[in-house]
Amino acid sequence: MRLPVAAASVGALALLAACSGGDDDAPSSDEVPSEGPIAITWYGSDARNAAVQEVIDNWSSENTDVDITSQPTTFDSYWDRVSVQAAADNIACVAAMQSRYQARYEERDSLLPLDGLIEDGTIDVSGIPEAVLESNRNDDGNLYVIPYGIWFEGATLNVPRMEEFGVTPPDADGSWTDYVDWAIEAQDSFPDDAWAIADRGDQITQFQAYAMGEGEDLYGDGEVGFSQETLTSWFELWTRAVDEGAAPPPEVNAEYAGVPTSQSLMAEGRIMVGSTGDNNISDIQIALDQNELGTISIVRSPTDGVPQVVGANGWSIAANCENVADSASFIDYFINTPENALILETQTGLPPVTSVLEGMQENPDVSQAIKDRITLYFDLLDQGATVDIWPDGTQTLVSQIATNYEEVAFGQTSPEDAAASFIEQANAALSGF
Amino acid sequence: MIDTDRSSTGGTASGTGRTAGSSGGSSRRPARKPWTEAQRSTAAGYAFLTPWLVGFFGITLMPMLASLVLSFTNFSGSFRNVEWIGLENYRLMFTVDPAFWQSVRVTFAYVLISVPIMLVFALAIATLLNKGIAMLGLYRTIFYIPSLLGTSVAVAVLWRFVWGETGLLNGVLSVVGIAGRSWIGHPDTALFTIMVLNVWTFGAPMIIFLAGLRQVPADLYEAAALDGAGRWQRFLRITLPSISPVILFNGILSVIGGFQAFTQVYVVSGGDGGPAGSTLFYTLLLYQRAFGELRFGYASAMAWVLLLVIGAATAAVFASGRFWVFYGDEK
């Protein structure tokens, strides 16, 4: 791919496609267009995409008059594609969104406000907990995204593997500092190519858990919501873990940074404590099972007792969609049909509708691992967890904090300077640089 | 035959037409002036060129001009809030964006180091293949295969397999008692592995060098050998000057390709330019700004700066050719 041409093409797409943007009003079902084909686009692994496709096929068999096109892809390439489509006002009618990305499309008028379709019952959201639904609401008062899969990040433990080496598992109610202290003590029991704990210094979501434990958060009002001291101590925490040999060397951590979770150090049985989203657990377990390297379990995020946040995959309808009626009908079918949850097997996240989740808990065909996750999710909701919607402009900070931390880990800069640099860049991003 | 008939008919009609036109009010249509052979040839040329012209203006020139306009705006995917901001994107690029200069350093290091090495390697292999060895076609195909694979996702996996912590290279080093490292995960060596990937895809310049070597007159070598010139002297005094236009051609293509290198680093680094920004190529940053952050105006400005740099570098290589490129018809 030759980038200058590609970048130039972006401009062309943009200029050539100067069509209308979104509508500030939220139309009801008798005000929306209802003719023509619909495209449905989403992201995920092959297994997830196949499950979503099966749901689409089932809906299609009941709606034979609707011409449907499916556009699944991987998570990373999905956002590149939607960005280009948004610039050309050509997003698929039904487009998957994620809580960390949706703000950028909502605020560029790329999505249709769904409140009118919700009020007249076209999309039934009555089964979704209010805290989950309402945390998706944009500052302009509109709801653009309906959750279809909830996920939460937590600490992951390979207890059987620890016990194999005679190590007592850590306390699962502590903070990341407690985990690192445990890891430094336990490391001597593990072989040279295995580590007690994964290096989480480059993970912005885990820093968020740490900051929450300090009474702070990632984002405040137009600027970062944490102090330089907190980020500095986060970087120092993980360099201490690495220096003590309890976490992988930085070059190993960097090498594995971009690999799928099914190929991660945790999946190779070389990490005892790590972290990931609950919907990635099954991929890791499959890899562990292949080599009989233990069993992974997930516990709540190490926020030191503070209620953690959850993430959500959601459906939106594009502002440029010409068949909103059928698009809304599909979304309603997707989230409210209990049979779909059994097809999806939580690969897209936990179903957002409480009665569907309760039905899964009572279903003997649903695995115990999924039931445990549902129980933990209900616990998190009881503790006050909300969906964490990231502000526009912050998506780049995921890789930015990794770069800043790597500079510390490789001795190129100090934790203080790296923290100051990250905060400066984060504030610039939040201000719209 | 048909052309001749049409020409003669047209000639007759033409004369009549002028007369009719001058008399005014005649019902007879004015005849067109007959096309000359040269005009017909030109028209046919343009007709054949039409697909290219449509492509050039529609897919290349127009988008480029559009991106030039956008580079002076804050366009971010919606025309509702777009504003003309003059040179602000260029000011931000040079004075505010912390990643910009890092990407410039990485890209220049890549071009200045990997392009010469790749050309030397390609020329060396082409020279070996020009010896008239058996199964030349097979070797040529084998050496060209990496060029076809060089930017695939499979190669990203392969590169980790070779340069990773538990990779092939470290396996070999451990046999001789050397402790390896993750070459691809360390900022001191990650860019080096990308350079090796570039050198590995030497197939295209090798084929061009091979074609150039085939054009060197054999009698020059024979005469030089009779005069006592050794193999190395013949290479320096005959081969290199004779193929210097080909070297210039390959050099320019490789420099342009080097500045535009994107896919290999995107797949190998996972798109983040890590570790610690050590593989943050200019094109990767441009891509992140455009598609990761929806800052199309800013990314357009970056694209135009890249275009100017490539233009300057190409001009410099061309200008240097005056001192070392030898054309056979020069006196």
Side-chain angles (χ1 to χ4, degrees):
Chain A
M1 184 174 178
R2 299 304 187 196
L3 249 292
V5 175
S9 303
V10 171
L13 281 172
L15 281 188
L16 292 172
C19 304
S20 64
D23 193 335
D24 289 339
D25 298 321
S28 58
S29 59
D30 54 0
E31 297 172 324
V32 296
S34 57
E35 296 292 329
I38 65 171
I40 303 173
T41 185
W42 73 96
Y43 46 78
S45 63
D46 290 344
R48 183 193 294 194
N49 293 342
V52 174
Q53 185 61 53
E54 188 176 342
V55 173
I56 293 172
D57 291 342
N58 289 345
W59 184 78
S60 179
S61 66
E62 296 172 12
N63 296 271
T64 52
D65 56 324
V66 183
D67 184 13
I68 304 171
T69 306
S70 298
Q71 299 176 355
T73 186
T74 60
F75 182 82
D76 289 337
S77 56
Y78 180 80
W79 301 107
D80 296 345
R81 190 169 70 185
V82 174
S83 297
V84 176
Q85 290 175 334
D89 267 347
N90 191 32
I91 299 181
C93 264
V94 181
M97 286 288 140
Q98 204 227 39
S99 43
R100 293 175 190 157
Y101 287 80
Q102 63 197 55
R104 67 162 56 152
Y105 301 100
E106 293 174 353
E107 288 166 24
R108 281 172 176 77
D109 300 326
S110 299
L111 306 180
L112 187 76
L114 302 177
D115 300 80
L117 297 167
I118 292 170
E119 284 167 14
D120 66 18
T122 306
I123 302 176
D124 180 8
V125 296
S126 60
I128 302 175
E130 188 176 355
V132 172
L133 187 69
E134 286 302 313
S135 49
N136 279 274
R137 192 172 293 282
N138 189 278
D139 289 343
D140 67 5
N142 290 319
L143 200 59
Y144 296 91
V145 178
I146 307 295
Y148 67 76
I150 310 292
W151 46 269
F152 56 88
E153 297 218 6
T156 49
L157 285 72
N158 191 339
V159 174
R161 188 88 168 131
M162 294 176 209
E163 291 173 342
E164 190 181 314
F165 295 104
V167 174
T168 305
D171 178 9
D173 288 326
S175 65
W176 274 121
T177 305
D178 298 327
Y179 276 113
V180 169
D181 289 341
W182 167 86
I184 291 171
E185 201 165 304
Q187 181 59 39
D188 285 347
S189 303
F190 300 118
D192 289 343
D193 63 346
W195 296 276
I197 195 164
D199 186 348
R200 304 286 80 179
D202 59 352
Q203 301 287 308
I204 195 167
T205 50
Q206 298 313 315
F207 169 65
Q208 183 179 25
Y210 179 78
M212 291 172 75
E214 301 289 318
E216 302 173 355
D217 203 346
L218 270 185
Y219 306 115
D221 186 15
E223 58 183 8
V224 298
F226 56 86
S227 65
Q228 184 179 337
E229 290 72 27
T230 300
L231 184 54
T232 300
S233 66
W234 173 254
F235 288 156
E236 288 172 342
L237 173 69
W238 292 103
T239 49
R240 180 164 71 91
V242 172
D243 291 345
E244 296 282 351
E251 63 268 26
V252 174
N253 194 46
E255 179 185 329
Y256 280 83
V259 306
T261 49
S262 59
Q263 297 166 25
S264 63
L265 288 166
M266 191 108 204
E268 291 180 354
R270 299 168 68 191
I271 290 287
M272 307 304 143
V273 173
S275 67
T276 190
D278 68 305
N279 51 343
N280 293 324
I281 296 294
S282 57
D283 282 347
I284 296 175
Q285 189 59 56
I286 289 168
L288 289 173
D289 286 344
Q290 285 172 347
N291 299 298
E292 297 182 352
L293 290 169
T295 304
I296 189 170
S297 54
I298 187 165
V299 297
R300 58 174 52 85
S301 200
T303 57
D304 209 12
V306 177
Q308 71 179 88
V309 294
V310 302
N313 301 309
W315 289 124
S316 66
I317 298 179
N320 55 264
C321 179
E322 294 179 352
N323 189 346
V324 172
D326 284 320
S327 300
S329 171
F330 169 77
I331 293 173
D332 181 69
Y333 169 83
F334 193 96
I335 63 172
N336 287 309
T337 306
E339 289 75 21
N340 291 343
L342 301 178
I343 294 169
L344 295 166
E345 292 184 309
T346 72
Q347 293 188 74
T348 54
L350 297 170
V353 174
T354 303
S355 61
V356 173
L357 285 169
E358 290 169 343
M360 293 180 79
Q361 279 189 312
E362 293 166 6
N363 189 326
D365 294 333
V366 174
S367 73
Q368 189 56 46
I370 290 177
K371 291 177 180 176
D372 290 344
R373 284 167 50 203
I374 294 173
T375 301
L376 184 50
Y377 170 58
F378 282 150
D379 287 347
L380 298 177
L381 287 182
D382 288 343
Q383 291 167 11
T386 57
V387 177
D388 190 30
I389 306 294
W390 284 21
D392 188 19
T394 54
Q395 292 73 29
T396 181
L397 300 181
V398 174
S399 59
Q400 188 57 54
I401 196 172
T403 300
N404 286 118
Y405 174 68
E406 285 170 350
E407 288 170 356
V408 176
F410 285 109
Q412 297 175 350
T413 188
S414 68
E416 292 84 358
D417 289 346
S421 172
F422 177 74
I423 289 171
E424 182 182 359
Q425 291 169 60
N427 283 335
L430 287 166
S431 71
F433 155 67
Chain B
M1 186 66 190
I2 294 171
D3 279 349
T4 308
D5 289 347
R6 201 176 283 164
S7 176
S8 61
T9 307
T12 309
S14 176
T16 313
R18 277 198 203 99
T19 308
S22 60
S23 63
S26 168
S27 61
R28 298 179 67 184
R29 284 166 44 191
R32 288 183 305 180
K33 187 180 178 183
W35 283 17
T36 65
E37 190 67 33
Q39 285 174 320
R40 280 202 306 277
S41 178
T42 302
Y46 279 113
F48 282 114
L49 271 175
T50 301
W52 182 88
L53 288 171
V54 169
F56 176 72
F57 285 103
I59 302 176
T60 302
L61 191 61
M62 266 184 54
M64 283 183 69
L65 293 176
S67 81
L68 179 62
V69 173
L70 289 179
S71 75
F72 299 109
T73 72
N74 65 349
F75 180 67
S76 62
S78 169
F79 280 100
R80 288 196 166 191
N81 304 316
V82 68
E83 291 176 16
W84 184 267
I85 57 172
L87 295 172
E88 181 65 6
N89 282 328
Y90 294 90
R91 186 190 70 79
L92 289 172
M93 192 188 315
F94 289 111
T95 62
V96 176
D97 190 345
F100 175 77
W101 290 110
Q102 170 69 7
S103 72
V104 169
R105 280 191 292 273
V106 168
T107 304
F108 269 91
Y110 175 80
V111 171
L112 292 175
I113 296 173
S114 78
V115 167
I117 293 174
M118 194 258 277
L119 289 177
V120 168
F121 194 71
L123 179 57
I125 299 296
T127 305
L128 285 175
L129 293 180
N130 195 38
K131 300 288 184 191
I133 56 176
M135 295 193 296
L136 174 62
L138 176 66
Y139 286 120
R140 209 162 42 198
T141 305
I142 290 172
F143 286 131
Y144 195 77
I145 285 175
S147 297
L148 303 175
L149 303 176
T151 53
S152 69
V153 175
V155 167
V157 178
L158 172 66
W159 237 234
R160 276 193 57 218
F161 178 73
V162 173
W163 301 97
E165 171 219 5
T166 56
L168 198 62
L169 179 61
N170 283 346
V172 173
L173 290 176
S174 67
V175 172
V176 292
I178 298 174
R181 69 197 309 184
S182 174
W183 304 89
I184 209 164
H186 199 286
D188 291 346
T189 51
L191 181 59
F192 167 75
T193 67
I194 306 282
M195 290 177 179
V196 174
L197 178 55
N198 184 48
V199 173
W200 187 57
T201 56
F202 63 93
M206 178 200 73
I207 294 292
I208 296 171
F209 278 135
L210 201 51
L213 290 169
R214 293 291 172 86
Q215 301 303 315
V216 181
D219 54 351
L220 291 179
Y221 291 116
E222 290 169 10
L226 288 173
D227 288 341
R231 186 174 296 176
W232 184 241
Q233 275 188 313
R234 291 201 297 270
F235 180 77
L236 287 179
R237 306 282 183 179
I238 297 174
T239 306
L240 279 185
S242 298
I243 65 166
S244 57
V246 179
I247 297 174
L248 176 69
F249 177 75
N250 263 337
I252 288 172
L253 286 189
S254 299
V255 165
I256 293 173
F259 277 112
Q260 293 183 317
F262 171 76
T263 314
Q264 55 265 53
V265 71
Y266 181 82
V267 297
V268 171
S269 80
D272 64 2
S278 59
T279 61
L280 184 64
F281 281 40
Y282 189 92
T283 51
L284 191 59
L285 180 65
L286 190 159
Y287 180 82
Q288 290 173 353
R289 296 290 186 245
F291 300 101
E293 303 167 25
L294 292 180
R295 294 165 59 191
F296 295 119
Y298 184 83
S300 294
M302 284 190 69
W304 273 91
V305 169
L306 177 61
L307 184 69
L308 293 176
V309 169
I310 290 176
T314 305
V317 175
F318 257 121
S320 74
R322 183 184 314 165
F323 303 104
W324 58 272
V325 176
F326 172 76
Y327 294 99
D329 56 351
E330 286 177 349
K331 303 296 181 189

